Amino acid sequence: MNGDWLIRARDGRLAVYACENDAVVCRTQRRPGGPWTAPRPVGGDQRVHPVLAVGQGTDAYVHLVSWRPTVPGESGLVHSTHFQPHLTALDWNPLGHPNKKGESTGVPAVTVDAQGRAHVFVPNRGGGLSMRGQKEKGGWGPWRDLKGKGVEGPVTAVTGESGLVTAYAATPDGILRWRQASPGAIPALDGDPLAVRARPGTLRALATSAEHTTLYFTDESGRLCAWRGPAADGPVRLLTAAGPGPVSALRCELDGHDCTLLAQRAESGRVAFAAYPTELESAGAWWTESGPALPIDARVSLASDPAGRVVAATFVPGTGALRLTHRKDEPGLALRPWEQAATV
């Protein structure tokens, strides 16, 4: 999974996406705050690999990207749009391969610009990053090689409050960043690499102000870092990572303050939360663990409900075990007990 797989739809319902049995499935609330549906396949009958990128635009439409087998030994990327989680998603639309053909080249990422156009990023066989984006009047542009060298692990992409797209990737020599200069422009490498070694698979980006996006990652020493650039400024080492995987990050209001909430599966197996004033890492942050211990492959995601309250979800692949908690209506970050999602 790459991206926020727990989302809030236009009508306020929460929905979750996952890969199960060669398919992408969706579960959604039957009404805001109500019971959940059983998992339903999305994207049609095509088989896909167990990899999924999720992105949501300001119109609340959800864009899904996965790899599918084509001919023996080869795969191609596919895309689907889900306008409302309780409705049927569009069938998978083939996007092809960044190198024209071959096996999958890595975990894709997808983000949606201010005009509602999806941008799909994926490593290519040359060790760089490739992108394909939707056109303003429909259809897709060509695959574009955005250059770069030594890209490893899943990349991450985000759309800032400006509506412009930014992508990040870890390499053996540091972290690369590609940015759009204007709407519809091709993202280009932005300056020198950040000379910090990030653990592969730990990159997560979040729009944190009108001017900035913040990249979170775990460095080789196990510290969770935040970086907004430029490379010469270096990252801020926020706190020791709670666990080995990426964090889920959400910008939200806590007690009247603009805060960033982080969640991560801790080494103990429980979910760890930390919050601090947005873009004010100097204020410090501390982990607080919650809920039962989860398997090592459990995933964590954050969203907000129609009232703006924080919602956290965990999902264990292959088991259908979906658990959720909500913030209580009281000061601080007190959470309700974790509950299994009830299916009706």
Side-chain angles (χ1 to χ4, degrees), residues 73-98:
E74 295 186 10
S75 300
L77 285 161
V78 288
H79 167 269
S80 175
T81 306
H82 211 171
F83 298 106
Q84 287 280 18
H86 65 285
L87 302 176
T88 301
L90 298 181
D91 287 347
W92 289 116
N93 175 51
L95 294 181
H97 194 286

Side-chain angles (χ1 to χ4, degrees), residues 173-262:
D173 299 320
I175 295 174
L176 300 177
R177 179 172 62 182
W178 294 260
R179 302 173 77 177
Q180 273 186 325
S182 60
I186 307 304
L189 277 169
D190 180 38
D192 296 326
L194 175 65
V196 175
R197 187 83 165 89
R199 291 181 178 176
T202 64
L203 273 58
R204 173 68 171 86
L206 181 70
T208 49
S209 67
E211 298 81 18
H212 299 119
T213 63
T214 299
L215 177 71
Y216 297 96
F217 64 91
T218 303
D219 66 14
E220 286 188 303
S221 69
R223 297 284 290 179
L224 180 64
C225 301
W227 177 60
R228 284 180 286 279
D233 290 348
V236 176
R237 288 169 173 81
L238 184 58
L239 75 173
T240 300
V247 297
S248 181
L250 176 71
R251 193 174 167 194
C252 57
E253 183 179 298
L254 297 176
D255 301 336
H257 300 285
D258 178 0
C259 292
T260 296
L261 176 64
L262 307 174

